[in-house]
Amino acid sequence: MPKPVFILNGPNLNLLGLRQPEIYGRETLEDVADACSALAEELGLSIRFHQSNHEGALVDWIHQARNEGSGIIINPAAYTHTSVAILDALNAFEGPVLEVHISNVHRREAFRHHSYVSLRAEGVIAGFGTEGYQLALRRMKTLVGK
Ligand code: DQA
């Protein structure tokens, strides 16, 4: 089995299911983690699933993935649009990076149309709801299997 895929989630995603359900749906982050674990098992992958409201914690997990991870799936949430630190950390990671957004950021406010993380990501999934994580995991299987 390859090293674990890190699935990283940024600020406010701990409130998934409660926060703006008309945009983000009613599933909780725990539901997403459970669905990812089940799919990972089916695909023969392992995952490490984390969420933090703090930019530095996300940077630290990306650094950890340099030695311990095969790929990174990241929903950087609001840091998508602001964080050079997360981009720099991802640039120091050698495996594949996939970016996930639950909502279709391109249909929303203009400030959500730019992503620093997209400069590094092999692929971006947006607007597929929480299913986007599972789509990303399937793609990650292809990328880390190479
Ligand atoms: C988000 C989109 C971001 O613009 C927003 O700040 C989030 C969540 C999404 O998953 O759709 O917190 O990344």
Side-chain angles (χ1 to χ4, degrees):
M1 201 185 271
K3 290 178 188 173
V5 175
F6 280 53
I7 305 182
L8 303 179
N9 294 278
N12 301 304
L13 288 168
N14 54 311
L15 297 181
L16 197 64
L18 301 172
R19 160 203 189 210
Q20 296 182 284
E22 68 288 358
I23 296 178
Y24 299 113
R26 298 240 170 238
E27 266 198 314
T28 66
L29 198 63
E30 207 183 326
D31 294 332
V32 175
D34 288 349
C36 286
S37 294
L39 178 62
E41 204 178 318
E42 198 183 296
L43 296 173
L45 295 175
S46 62
I47 60 168
R48 293 218 200 137
F49 196 98
H50 297 294
Q51 186 275 332
S52 179
N53 296 325
H54 304 276
E55 191 174 21
L58 294 161
V59 168
D60 287 344
W61 283 320
I62 295 166
H63 291 178
Q64 203 178 53
R66 278 165 48 81
N67 293 320
E68 297 172 22
S70 59
I72 296 176
I73 294 171
I74 184 165
N75 182 349
Y79 290 139
T80 308
H81 319 297
T82 63
S83 182
V84 177
I86 289 176
L87 172 63
D88 284 351
L90 290 169
N91 279 332
F93 175 74
E94 289 184 356
V97 173
L98 299 175
E99 178 181 349
V100 172
H101 300 286
I102 297 164
S103 65
N104 180 359
V105 283
H106 300 290
R107 207 168 81 161
R108 300 181 64 193
E109 303 96 319
F111 67 84
R112 295 186 205 275
H113 299 176
H114 177 261
S115 165
Y116 284 99
V117 170
S118 291
L119 291 167
R120 168 64 181 84
E122 270 74 23
V124 182
I125 291 173
F128 286 77
T130 52
E131 270 181 73
Y133 287 84
Q134 290 162 66
L135 297 171
L137 204 49
R138 287 187 189 278
R139 177 64 183 156
M140 191 55 85
K141 167 73 180 175
T142 307
L143 296 174
V144 300
K146 271 183 192 167

